Amino acid sequence: MSATTAEGHTLTIGEVAAATGVAASAIRFYERQGLLTSHRTSGNQRRYDEFAPCMVRICRVAQRVGLTVQEVVALFDAMPEQPTADDWQGLTDALVAEAERRIADLRRTLDDLTSDGPLCALPGVDDV
Amino acid sequence: MSATTAEGHTLTIGEVAAATGVAASAIRFYERQGLLTSHRTSGNQRRYDEFAPCMVRICRVAQRVGLTVQEVVALFDAMPEQPTADDWQGLTDALVAEAERRIADLRRTLDDLTSDGPLCALPGVDDV
DNA sequence: CTAGGACTTGAACATTGGTTGAGGTCAAGC
DNA sequence: GCTTGACCTCAACCAATGTTCAAGTCCTAG
């Protein structure tokens, strides 16, 4: 019924999908983009390691922050092959910092919008 | 040299572009989307009213907030034909509120990311 | 009145981030 | 060892948001 039972610490694409709430098609897409790597069974099916769901989750958050998938790939590429807990923490920190930066930017724009007086109000009216 | 001199309170597409820093092609796009309306000269050139640059600016901010152009169109459609200063203010307020909501959402996600302990750290390792 | 920059349309192209479907293969529970 | 759901590839498509180009027209300064 299911090619889904994990062995050791490898995950099928369906398992990663279930673990992350992301469609399998999207996961294949991420892999094509270089975000994930997998090895293949003799029958050519993908098997992911335990990091995969985590990387997918980070990617989704990063996308919400406004990063493109390619930018996330670049982040991961900057990580060592065997990332330590500190490496993951650094990644998270970088993401948070980026989010804070973008939020601050947006807030500045919004403040301008509200404080510049009308900004977008009637332009020189009174003569209607 | 220039078809750019405004008469009364109408603006050429080039003037709107200059006033907003948005490309004329984008302004035509916004008009196709229903964000802007224009009347035409006898020679079929667009002439915008004084509100146009303001609407374009609002649209850009709204897009930064995460609204689609169609959502901005809906916002404008909800406005009366002859918007008062209060109407504009209400629009701005709605936009700011939406931005605040999205920022709060994002911050919640980020807080989860940092507070859930590892979340994305080594999943059950120690045996490498 | 004319030169030439600004404008017009329509179609094609680009990018990001995927989804969908056809046609076929794998693998595991019974 | 077969059945059947999960998986595979490849190509086409989607949608939002524009940009670019060609070919032609407008309009205003001078």
Side-chain angles (χ1 to χ4, degrees):
Chain A
M1 300 262 179
S2 145
T4 276
T5 303
E7 167 272 315
H9 270 313
T10 81
L11 300 167
T12 66
I13 192 170
E15 287 168 334
V16 176
T20 58
V22 169
S25 62
I27 292 173
R28 287 191 201 97
F29 172 74
Y30 292 149
E31 187 173 336
R32 273 199 308 285
Q33 298 301 303
L35 188 78
L36 302 172
T37 51
S38 59
H39 63 93
R40 298 296 181 112
T41 64
S42 56
N44 197 37
Q45 297 199 354
R46 291 170 180 83
R47 290 298 181 267
Y48 295 96
D49 61 37
E50 334 93 275
F51 299 106
C54 143
M55 295 174 84
V56 169
R57 275 190 295 260
I58 287 183
C59 180
R60 300 305 281 232
V61 174
Q63 284 182 276
R64 283 194 56 191
V65 169
L67 301 186
T68 65
V69 172
Q70 278 313 308
E71 288 169 330
V72 180
V73 170
L75 276 184
F76 283 136
D77 282 352
M79 299 259 285
E81 306 251 332
Q82 294 294 322
T84 65
D86 274 1
D87 291 326
W88 288 107
Q89 189 57 54
L91 191 58
T92 302
D93 290 348
L95 218 49
V96 171
E98 178 65 17
E100 299 287 2
R101 210 175 56 68
R102 294 188 187 218
I103 287 174
D105 256 25
L106 184 53
R107 187 171 303 286
R108 218 172 300 125
T109 304
L110 288 172
D111 288 348
D112 289 351
L113 199 62
T114 50
S115 73
D116 275 7
L119 203 196
C120 281
L122 321 189
V125 194
D126 293 308
D127 47 59
V128 189
Chain B
M1 301 268 178
S2 142
T4 276
T5 301
E7 165 272 315
H9 271 312
T10 81
L11 301 167
T12 66
I13 192 170
E15 287 168 333
V16 176
T20 58
V22 169
S25 63
I27 292 173
R28 286 191 201 96
F29 173 74
Y30 292 150
E31 188 173 336
R32 273 200 307 285
Q33 297 302 302
L35 189 77
L36 302 173
T37 51
S38 61
H39 63 92
R40 299 297 182 110
T41 65
S42 57
N44 197 37
Q45 296 198 354
R46 291 169 180 84
R47 290 297 182 269
Y48 295 96
D49 61 35
E50 334 93 273
F51 299 105
C54 142
M55 295 174 84
V56 170
R57 276 189 296 259
I58 287 183
C59 179
R60 299 306 282 230
V61 174
Q63 285 182 277
R64 283 193 57 191
V65 169
L67 300 186
T68 65
V69 172
Q70 278 312 307
E71 287 170 330
V72 180
V73 170
L75 275 184
F76 282 137
D77 282 353
M79 299 261 285
E81 305 251 331
Q82 296 293 322
T84 66
D86 274 0
D87 291 325
W88 289 109
Q89 189 57 53
L91 192 57
T92 302
D93 290 349
L95 218 50
V96 171
E98 178 64 19
E100 299 287 1
R101 209 176 56 68
R102 295 190 185 217
I103 287 173
D105 256 26
L106 184 53
R107 186 171 302 288
R108 217 171 302 126
T109 305
L110 288 171
D111 288 348
D112 289 351
L113 200 62
T114 48
S115 74
D116 275 6
L119 201 193
C120 282
L122 321 189
V125 194
D126 293 307
D127 48 60
V128 190

